[in-house]
């Protein structure tokens, strides 16, 4: 077992991803846009065919309940940004990151991002973890690459738990939910 910081962060990521795969493999098309409450954020198809996520620059109070579609878009958005920052590139603007439109497309997108992130993780060294990272914090926050990798793990864990809970809740409360 690799007890280095890189090894611990990679192990934590791998565990979180394994839990995510459990839910990704069981997602039903009706799961992703299911709205469990009246006050929801979701992804909406625009007239031009693009799927755009609900958003507010100031978080509403109460916070809307996200759909699985919104959560999968959210993961894709922040994860694309994290990969871009880790590779020294400028990330796309949030408004330019759209949801793929269906379960197979969303799952493929997330698995592709996993592959990109594994490339980032595989290139890390113990010394490299101490380099300055400006994502997801302001550039002058004094955060490190280790902080960014830990944040990605934590954010992914949180979003995976939310997706899993929504999927299970829908299956338990919707008599017609299949594939669960």
């Amino acid at each position: 077992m690799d007890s280095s910081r890189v090894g611990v962060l990679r192990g934590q990521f791998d565990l979180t991803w394994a839990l995510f795969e459990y839910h990704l493999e069981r997602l039903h098309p009706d799961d992703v846009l299911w709205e469990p409450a009246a006050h929801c954020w979701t992804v909406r198809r625009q007239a031009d065919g693009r799927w755009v996520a609900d958003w507010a620059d100031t978080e509403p109070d109460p916070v809307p309940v996200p759909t699985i579609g919104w959560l999968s878009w959210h993961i894709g958005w922040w994860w694309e940004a994290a990969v871009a920052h880790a590779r020294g590139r400028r990330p796309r603007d949030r408004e330019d990151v759209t949801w793929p439109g269906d379960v197979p497309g969303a799952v493929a997108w997330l698995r592709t991002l996993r592959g990109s992130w594994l490339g980032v993780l595989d290139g890390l060294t113990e010394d490299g973890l101490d380099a300055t990272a400006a994502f997801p914090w302001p550039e002058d926050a004094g955060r490190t690459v280790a902080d960014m990798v830990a944040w990605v793990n934590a954010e992914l864990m949180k979003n995976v738990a939310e997706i899993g809970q929504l999927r299970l809740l829908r299956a338990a409360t919707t008599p017609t939910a299949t594939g669960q």
Side-chain angles (χ1 to χ4, degrees):
M1 176 178 241
D2 183 356
S3 62
S4 68
R5 292 182 302 159
V6 171
V8 169
L9 290 166
R10 173 63 188 264
Q12 187 182 51
F13 172 79
D14 289 342
L15 174 61
T16 301
W17 185 261
L19 296 171
F20 199 16
E21 278 293 340
Y22 176 84
H23 294 294
L24 291 177
E25 292 169 0
R26 290 161 179 80
L27 272 182
H28 186 272
D30 294 337
D31 291 340
V32 294
L33 298 179
W34 176 66
E35 296 186 10
H39 187 54
C40 277
W41 268 357
T42 191
V43 288
R44 301 177 195 281
R45 190 172 194 162
Q46 305 300 295
D48 64 4
R50 294 178 315 121
W51 286 82
V52 176
D54 294 334
W55 187 260
D57 288 327
T58 302
E59 192 167 275
D61 185 16
V63 174
V65 177
T67 64
I68 291 173
W70 189 92
L71 287 164
S72 62
W73 164 82
H74 185 248
I75 293 168
W77 167 54
W78 63 252
W79 214 354
E80 277 192 16
V83 169
H85 278 279
R87 292 186 172 159
R89 297 190 314 242
R90 185 181 180 279
R92 293 192 295 165
D93 292 334
R94 176 189 49 80
E95 298 84 7
D96 295 331
V97 179
T98 58
W99 189 67
D102 59 21
V103 170
V107 170
W109 181 37
L110 296 171
R111 287 180 176 150
T112 297
L113 286 167
R114 174 189 177 262
S116 296
W117 188 245
L118 288 175
V120 169
L121 295 178
D122 289 346
L124 291 176
T125 63
E126 288 297 308
D127 289 341
L129 288 175
D130 296 324
T132 301
F135 182 80
W137 307 276
E139 290 207 29
D140 60 353
R143 298 296 189 136
T144 65
V145 170
D147 292 321
M148 179 179 68
V149 173
W151 176 85
V152 165
N153 286 347
E155 187 70 15
L156 185 62
M157 258 182 259
K158 176 185 78 74
N159 290 158
V160 166
E162 291 168 327
I163 287 171
Q165 189 64 36
L166 285 167
R167 191 185 68 74
L168 293 171
L169 184 60
R170 180 179 176 276
T173 60
T174 308
T176 60
T178 59
Q180 312 299 320

